[in-house]
Amino acid sequence: MAEHRSMQRGALLDAARTLLSEGGTEALTFPALAERTGLARSSVYEYFRSRAAVVEELCEVDFPVWAAEVSAAMERAGTPEGQVEAYVRQQLALVGDRRHRAVVAISASELDAGAREKIRAAHGGLVAMIVEALDALGHQEPRLAAMLLQGVVDAAVRRIELGVAEEPEAITEAAVAMALRGVRG
């Protein structure tokens, strides 16, 4: 029984990822989750008491996985400059991933304090790593530089997701070039 419940919970989280990546947080409703999973709406409430609870669990499950992939890419890079490049490239490489799209939709949405705290903690881990690399590059204000660098990444993510003008590769290269020029600053 417990196994069956965890399968259904997994199916609900997967449906939530799809809904978020297709339509953002507005698309994540209990009727839509019920429809996607073939569960009765009342069953959805047995697993999650609210939309916020769904979002919070997705944060707990997906954000650390996503952060770990960025972290691993940074660790493979030999130099601080290589780490900065990996930090930008890996985040942009994950844009097409449904988990990443869900994470982006979530971080842009209204979250309760608990979920926001979890995102901040996971994000803080990434920012801490990049602060260290920027410090090693001799930045006077590595923390400020890290925030600005993440701003470049976030802007590039939005640009890729719009899917209008440039190819994702061109956006990635421009973001990497800007980041590296900026950190050499």
Side-chain angles (χ1 to χ4, degrees):
M1 185 67 202
E3 196 172 309
H4 179 65
R5 277 192 72 80
S6 98
M7 269 173 61
Q8 288 195 325
R9 191 177 203 90
L12 283 164
L13 287 175
D14 208 49
R17 278 182 198 102
T18 303
L19 290 165
L20 282 166
S21 70
E22 288 171 1
T25 39
E26 296 77 62
L28 180 61
T29 64
F30 277 36
L33 283 172
E35 193 182 316
R36 288 281 167 124
T37 53
L39 291 169
R41 202 182 308 181
S42 57
S43 302
V44 178
Y45 282 98
E46 286 174 33
Y47 292 91
F48 298 105
R49 64 188 185 282
S50 64
R51 269 175 21 144
V54 179
V55 164
E56 196 162 331
E57 186 147 334
L58 269 182
C59 295
E60 266 177 69
V61 175
D62 289 356
F63 209 102
V65 175
W66 180 76
E69 288 176 36
V70 177
S71 166
M74 287 176 71
E75 279 165 26
R76 286 191 297 271
T79 62
E81 229 167 57
Q83 287 183 318
V84 169
E85 180 168 351
Y87 178 81
V88 175
R89 272 190 199 286
Q90 190 61 35
Q91 287 191 67
L92 297 181
L94 290 169
V95 172
D97 185 316
R98 264 179 345 138
R99 276 180 330 207
H100 177 271
R101 283 213 296 274
V103 164
V104 170
I106 286 167
S107 53
S109 75
E110 286 308 300
L111 290 178
D112 65 20
R116 268 203 308 274
E117 203 34 64
K118 288 188 180 80
I119 288 186
R120 235 195 316 275
H123 220 261
L126 279 180
V127 172
M129 288 172 45
I130 203 67
V131 167
E132 212 171 293
L134 293 166
D135 195 37
L137 285 168
H139 254 276
Q140 266 69 55
E141 300 221 32
R143 198 141 179 93
L144 172 61
M147 293 305 176
L148 295 174
L149 178 60
Q150 186 59 44
V152 168
V153 173
D154 293 342
V157 164
R158 281 193 299 278
R159 191 90 190 152
I160 290 171
E161 294 206 316
L162 282 172
V164 280
E166 312 84 357
E167 287 298 305
E169 295 73 38
I171 297 169
T172 299
E173 293 312 316
V176 166
M178 187 170 277
L180 291 176
R181 274 201 305 274
V183 298
R184 290 184 191 119

